[in-house]
Short mmCIF file of all heavy atoms in Angstrom, two decimals:
data_model
loop_
_atom_site.label_atom_id
_atom_site.label_comp_id
_atom_site.label_asym_id
_atom_site.label_seq_id
_atom_site.Cartn_x
_atom_site.Cartn_y
_atom_site.Cartn_z
N ARG A 209 -16.92 33.80 30.12
CA ARG A 209 -16.14 34.43 28.92
C ARG A 209 -15.03 33.52 28.61
O ARG A 209 -14.37 32.96 29.50
CB ARG A 209 -15.51 35.82 29.42
CG ARG A 209 -16.59 36.84 29.89
CD ARG A 209 -15.94 38.14 30.16
NE ARG A 209 -15.79 38.90 28.84
CZ ARG A 209 -15.48 40.21 28.83
NH1 ARG A 209 -15.37 40.85 29.97
NH2 ARG A 209 -15.47 40.86 27.67
N VAL A 210 -14.82 33.44 27.35
CA VAL A 210 -13.72 32.58 26.87
C VAL A 210 -12.96 33.45 25.85
O VAL A 210 -13.52 34.01 25.02
CB VAL A 210 -14.16 31.39 26.12
CG1 VAL A 210 -13.00 30.56 25.55
CG2 VAL A 210 -14.99 30.47 27.06
N VAL A 211 -11.67 33.52 26.05
CA VAL A 211 -10.83 34.53 25.23
C VAL A 211 -9.66 33.71 24.61
O VAL A 211 -8.97 32.94 25.32
CB VAL A 211 -10.33 35.67 26.17
CG1 VAL A 211 -9.53 36.70 25.22
CG2 VAL A 211 -11.33 36.38 26.85
N VAL A 212 -9.55 33.72 23.31
CA VAL A 212 -8.56 33.07 22.54
C VAL A 212 -7.45 34.14 22.01
O VAL A 212 -7.76 35.21 21.48
CB VAL A 212 -9.12 32.31 21.34
CG1 VAL A 212 -7.96 31.71 20.59
CG2 VAL A 212 -10.17 31.35 21.81
N ILE A 213 -6.18 33.78 22.32
CA ILE A 213 -5.13 34.68 22.00
C ILE A 213 -4.30 33.99 20.77
O ILE A 213 -3.94 32.88 20.78
CB ILE A 213 -4.19 34.90 23.22
CG1 ILE A 213 -4.90 35.47 24.36
CG2 ILE A 213 -2.89 35.73 22.91
CD1 ILE A 213 -5.23 34.48 25.43
N ASP A 214 -4.07 34.81 19.81
CA ASP A 214 -3.19 34.45 18.66
C ASP A 214 -2.79 35.66 17.88
O ASP A 214 -3.17 36.90 18.30
CB ASP A 214 -4.09 33.49 17.78
CG ASP A 214 -3.26 32.53 16.99
OD1 ASP A 214 -2.36 33.02 16.27
OD2 ASP A 214 -3.46 31.30 17.08
N ARG A 215 -2.14 35.48 16.81
CA ARG A 215 -1.60 36.57 15.94
C ARG A 215 -2.09 36.59 14.54
O ARG A 215 -1.82 37.36 13.65
CB ARG A 215 -0.20 36.76 15.87
CG ARG A 215 0.59 35.49 15.34
CD ARG A 215 2.09 35.71 15.55
NE ARG A 215 2.89 34.55 15.18
CZ ARG A 215 3.51 34.50 13.95
NH1 ARG A 215 3.53 35.51 13.12
NH2 ARG A 215 4.33 33.53 13.68
N TYR A 216 -2.86 35.43 14.13
CA TYR A 216 -3.37 35.43 12.77
C TYR A 216 -4.76 35.78 12.70
O TYR A 216 -5.63 35.16 13.26
CB TYR A 216 -3.17 33.86 12.27
CG TYR A 216 -1.79 33.38 12.28
CD1 TYR A 216 -1.17 32.67 13.23
CD2 TYR A 216 -1.02 33.71 11.10
CE1 TYR A 216 0.22 32.21 13.10
CE2 TYR A 216 0.33 33.37 10.99
CZ TYR A 216 0.94 32.56 12.01
OH TYR A 216 2.27 32.19 11.85
N ASP A 217 -4.92 36.92 11.90
CA ASP A 217 -6.20 37.54 11.78
C ASP A 217 -7.38 36.54 11.26
O ASP A 217 -8.41 36.54 11.80
CB ASP A 217 -6.16 38.69 10.77
CG ASP A 217 -5.45 39.83 11.37
OD1 ASP A 217 -5.67 40.06 12.64
OD2 ASP A 217 -4.71 40.48 10.76
N GLU A 218 -6.97 35.62 10.33
CA GLU A 218 -7.94 34.79 9.75
C GLU A 218 -8.31 33.60 10.76
O GLU A 218 -9.58 33.30 10.85
CB GLU A 218 -7.52 34.06 8.45
CG GLU A 218 -6.18 33.27 8.66
CD GLU A 218 -4.97 33.95 8.57
OE1 GLU A 218 -4.96 35.24 8.55
OE2 GLU A 218 -3.89 33.43 8.31
N ARG A 219 -7.49 33.25 11.60
CA ARG A 219 -7.77 32.34 12.68
C ARG A 219 -8.62 33.03 13.75
O ARG A 219 -9.54 32.35 14.22
CB ARG A 219 -6.52 31.72 13.35
CG ARG A 219 -5.78 30.84 12.30
CD ARG A 219 -4.62 30.10 13.06
NE ARG A 219 -3.91 29.13 12.15
CZ ARG A 219 -3.33 28.19 12.51
NH1 ARG A 219 -3.02 27.93 13.82
NH2 ARG A 219 -2.66 27.35 11.64
N LEU A 220 -8.35 34.19 14.04
CA LEU A 220 -9.09 34.90 15.10
C LEU A 220 -10.50 35.14 14.57
O LEU A 220 -11.57 35.10 15.35
CB LEU A 220 -8.48 36.22 15.49
CG LEU A 220 -7.16 35.98 16.16
CD1 LEU A 220 -6.38 37.35 16.37
CD2 LEU A 220 -7.29 35.31 17.58
N ARG A 221 -10.65 35.55 13.36
CA ARG A 221 -12.02 35.60 12.77
C ARG A 221 -12.80 34.29 12.82
O ARG A 221 -14.00 34.23 13.05
CB ARG A 221 -11.94 36.13 11.41
CG ARG A 221 -11.56 37.59 11.22
CD ARG A 221 -11.78 38.16 9.88
NE ARG A 221 -10.95 37.58 8.91
CZ ARG A 221 -9.73 38.10 8.56
NH1 ARG A 221 -9.26 39.07 9.11
NH2 ARG A 221 -8.98 37.44 7.62
N MET A 222 -12.00 33.17 12.55
CA MET A 222 -12.71 31.83 12.62
C MET A 222 -13.19 31.58 14.00
O MET A 222 -14.28 30.96 14.18
CB MET A 222 -11.80 30.80 12.14
CG MET A 222 -12.24 29.51 11.83
SD MET A 222 -11.01 28.29 11.18
CE MET A 222 -10.81 28.88 9.59
N VAL A 223 -12.38 31.87 14.98
CA VAL A 223 -12.78 31.74 16.40
C VAL A 223 -14.11 32.55 16.67
O VAL A 223 -15.11 31.93 17.29
CB VAL A 223 -11.68 32.27 17.38
CG1 VAL A 223 -12.25 32.34 18.74
CG2 VAL A 223 -10.57 31.34 17.28
N GLU A 224 -14.17 33.65 16.32
CA GLU A 224 -15.40 34.49 16.62
C GLU A 224 -16.59 33.94 15.85
O GLU A 224 -17.76 33.92 16.41
CB GLU A 224 -15.08 35.95 16.23
CG GLU A 224 -14.01 36.66 17.11
CD GLU A 224 -13.61 37.96 16.50
OE1 GLU A 224 -13.97 38.27 15.36
OE2 GLU A 224 -12.82 38.66 17.18
N ARG A 225 -16.41 33.39 14.51
CA ARG A 225 -17.57 32.87 13.69
C ARG A 225 -18.12 31.55 14.38
O ARG A 225 -19.21 31.32 14.29
CB ARG A 225 -17.21 32.72 12.47
CG ARG A 225 -17.08 33.87 11.55
CD ARG A 225 -17.06 33.66 10.00
NE ARG A 225 -16.07 32.78 9.69
CZ ARG A 225 -14.83 33.09 9.27
NH1 ARG A 225 -14.56 34.47 9.24
NH2 ARG A 225 -13.95 32.24 8.94
N HIS A 226 -17.15 30.69 14.87
CA HIS A 226 -17.58 29.34 15.08
C HIS A 226 -17.65 28.80 16.47
O HIS A 226 -18.09 27.75 16.81
CB HIS A 226 -16.53 28.44 14.20
CG HIS A 226 -16.67 28.57 12.74
ND1 HIS A 226 -17.80 28.09 12.00
CD2 HIS A 226 -15.90 29.19 11.84
CE1 HIS A 226 -17.58 28.42 10.73
NE2 HIS A 226 -16.44 28.93 10.71
N THR A 227 -17.03 29.55 17.46
CA THR A 227 -16.82 29.06 18.80
C THR A 227 -17.67 29.82 19.88
O THR A 227 -17.97 29.27 20.91
CB THR A 227 -15.34 28.98 19.27
OG1 THR A 227 -14.96 30.33 19.52
CG2 THR A 227 -14.48 28.36 18.25
N GLY A 228 -17.96 31.07 19.58
CA GLY A 228 -18.64 31.96 20.60
C GLY A 228 -17.82 32.54 21.56
O GLY A 228 -18.12 33.10 22.60
N ALA A 229 -16.46 32.48 21.27
CA ALA A 229 -15.37 33.08 22.13
C ALA A 229 -14.99 34.49 21.69
O ALA A 229 -15.22 34.83 20.48
CB ALA A 229 -14.14 32.18 22.15
N GLU A 230 -14.30 35.13 22.49
CA GLU A 230 -13.74 36.52 22.15
C GLU A 230 -12.31 36.31 21.76
O GLU A 230 -11.79 35.11 21.89
CB GLU A 230 -13.77 37.47 23.39
CG GLU A 230 -15.18 37.59 24.08
CD GLU A 230 -15.17 38.26 25.45
OE1 GLU A 230 -14.19 39.16 25.62
OE2 GLU A 230 -15.98 37.92 26.16
N THR A 231 -11.65 37.39 21.23
CA THR A 231 -10.31 37.11 20.71
C THR A 231 -9.29 38.30 21.17
O THR A 231 -9.88 39.45 21.47
CB THR A 231 -10.19 37.12 19.16
OG1 THR A 231 -10.72 38.24 18.66
CG2 THR A 231 -11.04 35.81 18.74
N VAL A 232 -8.09 38.03 21.23
CA VAL A 232 -7.11 39.10 21.52
C VAL A 232 -5.89 38.76 20.54
O VAL A 232 -5.37 37.75 20.44
CB VAL A 232 -6.56 39.12 22.84
CG1 VAL A 232 -5.30 40.06 23.08
CG2 VAL A 232 -7.58 39.39 23.99
N HIS A 233 -5.54 39.78 19.73
CA HIS A 233 -4.28 39.67 18.91
C HIS A 233 -3.10 40.14 19.65
O HIS A 233 -3.10 41.34 20.06
CB HIS A 233 -4.55 40.69 17.62
CG HIS A 233 -3.54 40.45 16.58
ND1 HIS A 233 -2.22 40.63 16.73
CD2 HIS A 233 -3.72 40.06 15.26
CE1 HIS A 233 -1.56 40.37 15.58
NE2 HIS A 233 -2.46 40.07 14.59
N TYR A 234 -2.23 39.23 19.93
CA TYR A 234 -1.18 39.59 20.92
C TYR A 234 -0.11 40.53 20.35
O TYR A 234 0.76 40.98 21.13
CB TYR A 234 -0.57 38.28 21.41
CG TYR A 234 0.22 37.43 20.53
CD1 TYR A 234 1.51 37.78 20.03
CD2 TYR A 234 -0.19 36.13 20.26
CE1 TYR A 234 2.23 37.02 19.27
CE2 TYR A 234 0.51 35.26 19.40
CZ TYR A 234 1.79 35.76 18.93
OH TYR A 234 2.47 34.83 18.00
N HIS A 235 -0.13 40.89 19.14
CA HIS A 235 0.77 41.97 18.61
C HIS A 235 0.05 43.26 18.76
O HIS A 235 0.74 44.35 18.65
CB HIS A 235 1.18 41.79 17.15
CG HIS A 235 2.13 40.71 17.03
ND1 HIS A 235 2.53 40.11 15.76
CD2 HIS A 235 3.06 40.14 17.93
CE1 HIS A 235 3.48 39.37 15.89
NE2 HIS A 235 3.80 39.25 17.28
N ARG A 236 -1.21 43.36 19.05
CA ARG A 236 -1.90 44.67 19.18
C ARG A 236 -2.51 44.95 20.58
O ARG A 236 -3.16 45.91 20.72
CB ARG A 236 -3.07 44.67 18.22
CG ARG A 236 -2.68 44.33 16.76
CD ARG A 236 -3.78 44.21 15.84
NE ARG A 236 -3.32 43.82 14.53
CZ ARG A 236 -4.11 43.06 13.59
NH1 ARG A 236 -5.33 42.85 13.96
NH2 ARG A 236 -3.62 42.87 12.42
N ALA A 237 -2.14 44.10 21.59
CA ALA A 237 -2.59 44.31 22.93
C ALA A 237 -1.65 43.86 23.97
O ALA A 237 -0.80 42.89 23.54
CB ALA A 237 -3.97 43.69 23.09
N ASP A 238 -1.71 44.40 25.12
CA ASP A 238 -0.98 43.84 26.25
C ASP A 238 -1.92 42.62 26.76
O ASP A 238 -2.91 42.89 27.49
CB ASP A 238 -0.83 44.89 27.25
CG ASP A 238 -0.13 44.33 28.50
OD1 ASP A 238 -0.28 43.19 28.99
OD2 ASP A 238 0.74 45.13 29.21
N VAL A 239 -1.43 41.42 26.46
CA VAL A 239 -2.42 40.31 26.71
C VAL A 239 -2.73 40.19 28.24
O VAL A 239 -3.93 40.08 28.52
CB VAL A 239 -1.76 38.98 26.23
CG1 VAL A 239 -2.60 37.72 26.66
CG2 VAL A 239 -1.53 39.01 24.71
N THR A 240 -1.76 40.27 29.18
CA THR A 240 -2.06 40.16 30.52
C THR A 240 -3.00 41.24 31.04
O THR A 240 -3.97 40.90 31.70
CB THR A 240 -0.83 40.11 31.29
OG1 THR A 240 0.15 39.11 30.98
CG2 THR A 240 -1.11 39.94 32.81
N ALA A 241 -2.81 42.43 30.60
CA ALA A 241 -3.69 43.54 30.99
C ALA A 241 -5.05 43.35 30.42
O ALA A 241 -6.11 43.66 31.05
CB ALA A 241 -3.03 44.94 30.53
N GLU A 242 -5.12 42.93 29.18
CA GLU A 242 -6.42 42.70 28.52
C GLU A 242 -7.17 41.65 29.20
O GLU A 242 -8.48 41.82 29.37
CB GLU A 242 -6.18 42.36 27.09
CG GLU A 242 -7.47 42.38 26.22
CD GLU A 242 -8.14 43.72 26.11
OE1 GLU A 242 -7.38 44.76 26.06
OE2 GLU A 242 -9.37 43.74 25.85
N LEU A 243 -6.51 40.56 29.65
CA LEU A 243 -7.27 39.40 30.37
C LEU A 243 -7.67 39.88 31.66
O LEU A 243 -8.75 39.53 32.12
CB LEU A 243 -6.34 38.30 30.33
CG LEU A 243 -6.00 37.57 29.06
CD1 LEU A 243 -5.01 36.47 29.26
CD2 LEU A 243 -7.36 36.95 28.43
N ARG A 244 -6.96 40.64 32.32
CA ARG A 244 -7.33 41.20 33.64
C ARG A 244 -8.51 42.08 33.56
O ARG A 244 -9.39 42.02 34.39
CB ARG A 244 -6.16 41.88 34.38
CG ARG A 244 -6.52 42.19 35.78
CD ARG A 244 -5.12 42.62 36.57
NE ARG A 244 -4.38 41.45 36.64
CZ ARG A 244 -3.24 41.49 37.37
NH1 ARG A 244 -2.82 42.64 37.97
NH2 ARG A 244 -2.40 40.44 37.60
N GLU A 245 -8.48 42.88 32.47
CA GLU A 245 -9.69 43.76 32.32
C GLU A 245 -11.00 43.00 32.03
O GLU A 245 -11.98 43.36 32.47
CB GLU A 245 -9.40 44.75 31.09
CG GLU A 245 -10.53 45.59 30.63
CD GLU A 245 -10.81 46.69 31.77
OE1 GLU A 245 -9.88 47.03 32.54
OE2 GLU A 245 -11.96 47.16 31.70
N ARG A 246 -10.83 41.91 31.32
CA ARG A 246 -12.09 41.11 30.94
C ARG A 246 -12.45 39.99 32.11
O ARG A 246 -13.33 39.34 31.87
CB ARG A 246 -11.78 40.36 29.69
CG ARG A 246 -11.43 41.32 28.44
CD ARG A 246 -11.47 40.49 27.17
NE ARG A 246 -10.92 41.30 26.10
CZ ARG A 246 -10.99 40.91 24.79
NH1 ARG A 246 -11.59 39.89 24.39
NH2 ARG A 246 -10.35 41.67 23.76
N SER A 247 -11.76 40.13 33.18
CA SER A 247 -12.05 39.11 34.30
C SER A 247 -12.26 39.81 35.49
O SER A 247 -12.01 39.28 36.53
CB SER A 247 -10.94 38.13 34.42
OG SER A 247 -9.73 38.73 34.63
N GLY A 248 -12.71 41.08 35.47
CA GLY A 248 -12.93 41.76 36.79
C GLY A 248 -11.73 42.07 37.54
O GLY A 248 -11.79 42.17 38.81
N GLY A 249 -10.50 42.30 36.84
CA GLY A 249 -9.36 42.62 37.52
C GLY A 249 -8.53 41.36 38.20
O GLY A 249 -7.39 41.63 38.81
#
Side-chain angles (χ1 to χ4, degrees):
R209 301 187 83 165
V210 181
V211 185
V212 178
I213 301 103
D214 207 304
R215 66 188 174 96
Y216 292 98
D217 288 319
E218 60 273 15
R219 293 189 173 198
L220 294 173
R221 287 192 294 268
M222 193 178 284
V223 167
E224 293 169 350
R225 283 197 306 268
H226 295 286
T227 72
E230 308 168 29
T231 60
V232 172
H233 191 299
Y234 65 72
H235 282 168
R236 300 171 188 159
D238 181 325
V239 172
T240 302
E242 188 69 27
L243 291 174
R244 186 164 293 183
E245 175 70 23
R246 300 190 193 190
S247 58

